[in-house]
Amino acid sequence: MGTLDGKRAVVTGASRGIGRAIALELARQGARVVVNFHRNADAADGVVAQIVGAGGEARAVGADVSTADGAQRLVGACLEGFGGLDILVNNAGITRDTLLMRMSEDDWDAVLDTNLKGAFHCIKAAQRPMLRQRSGRIISIGSVSGLVGNAGQANYAAAKAGLVGLTKAVARELGARGITCNLVAPGFVETDMTAGLPADLLKAALGQIPLGRLGRPEDVAAAVAFLASDAAAYITGQVICVDGGMAM
């Protein structure tokens, strides 16, 4: 018996990295999972195959969550396929890092549209079924960059900081209906995004982490699975850093 048996979940940006680990962990705990992807259908199909191979239930759904139509289609696929929606994980995110003086308006808009507006669209689409059933878990994936800033990431830090405010506002709006809304803020995690870090930057990053190692996607997934469970029923509007102590 898993802690999420019978639950229906949507994980955005779930074809790789942290999103993939979250989808796998929610499934391991018993949830039926919609694995969202934007472009990488093969990778999403691989995540679904892994879940199904372990005895779980999942389906891959392509949708661009930076658009209202994409978010509606994604939530609709979960309602149609699994008969409801209990857990929404807003993980989809991109980076277009550069110093502010070189940052184009397109760089700014692309990151804000996916990382922040995407969460807005998905929450808006998910709240209707959650309100009807008077229960739900909304979990967004932020970043320590949104809490402490990071040079070269004005767009990314602004989007992730925006998720903090969005999380708290939604927690206040939906709490009376039994819906919780929380944010998990990872630090440096071993993903495709960090794999290309130069050795000197990696060494500098490790020097800022009291636990002395990079995080693993599974570290973040464990926190998400907890917030999605009944054990976290009295936790809402919170920011939980999974960062080895980096932003304490």
Side-chain angles (χ1 to χ4, degrees):
M1 291 289 288
T3 59
L4 300 176
D5 281 349
K7 302 296 185 184
R8 290 81 43 108
V10 168
V11 183
T12 70
S15 64
R16 61 192 177 93
I18 290 173
R20 174 182 178 276
I22 291 169
L24 293 173
E25 179 62 19
L26 295 183
R28 192 180 73 82
Q29 296 286 350
R32 290 173 283 172
V33 183
V34 170
V35 176
N36 164 247
F37 67 95
H38 185 198
R39 294 188 178 91
N40 200 337
D42 289 345
D45 287 341
V47 178
V48 169
Q50 190 168 343
I51 290 172
V52 172
E57 194 173 345
R59 58 173 51 193
V61 177
D64 178 2
V65 298
S66 71
T67 70
D69 286 348
Q72 289 285 356
R73 187 168 67 254
L74 178 60
V75 168
C78 187
L79 299 178
E80 182 182 341
F82 298 147
L85 172 60
D86 304 291
I87 302 160
L88 168 66
V89 182
N90 294 308
N91 169 77
I94 63 171
T95 56
R96 287 199 182 177
D97 295 352
T98 189
L99 293 175
L100 184 64
M101 64 188 300
R102 298 194 190 107
M103 187 175 291
S104 69
E105 188 173 352
D106 284 346
D107 290 335
W108 177 271
D109 288 344
V111 171
L112 270 289
D113 282 352
T114 295
N115 299 21
L116 182 56
K117 191 187 285 187
F120 160 74
H121 286 316
C122 288
I123 291 171
K124 200 164 184 186
Q127 71 174 0
R128 288 187 178 179
M130 288 183 176
L131 285 168
R132 281 196 298 269
Q133 66 198 21
R134 300 185 71 87
S135 66
R137 298 281 188 271
I138 299 169
I139 303 151
S140 294
I141 306 303
S143 170
V144 295
S145 292
L147 305 178
V148 300
N150 196 27
Q153 287 195 316
N155 48 4
Y156 186 78
K160 295 299 189 179
L163 282 177
V164 174
L166 177 62
T167 293
K168 292 177 181 289
V170 171
R172 291 188 183 277
E173 286 189 21
L174 303 184
R177 295 293 188 95
I179 301 166
T180 67
C181 188
N182 294 288
L183 182 136
V184 174
F188 280 102
V189 177
E190 294 171 350
T191 66
D192 293 346
M193 280 189 182
T194 57
L197 281 176
D200 57 334
L201 284 181
L202 182 59
K203 184 177 179 181
L206 288 171
Q208 300 174 47
I209 303 172
L211 289 185
R213 68 168 176 85
L214 296 184
R216 296 182 293 266
E218 292 76 16
D219 295 322
V220 182
V224 172
F226 166 68
L227 289 172
S229 73
D230 290 343
Y234 202 56
I235 299 173
T236 196
Q238 301 304 307
V239 175
I240 297 180
C241 292
V242 181
D243 64 352
M246 184 179 172
M248 74 170 81

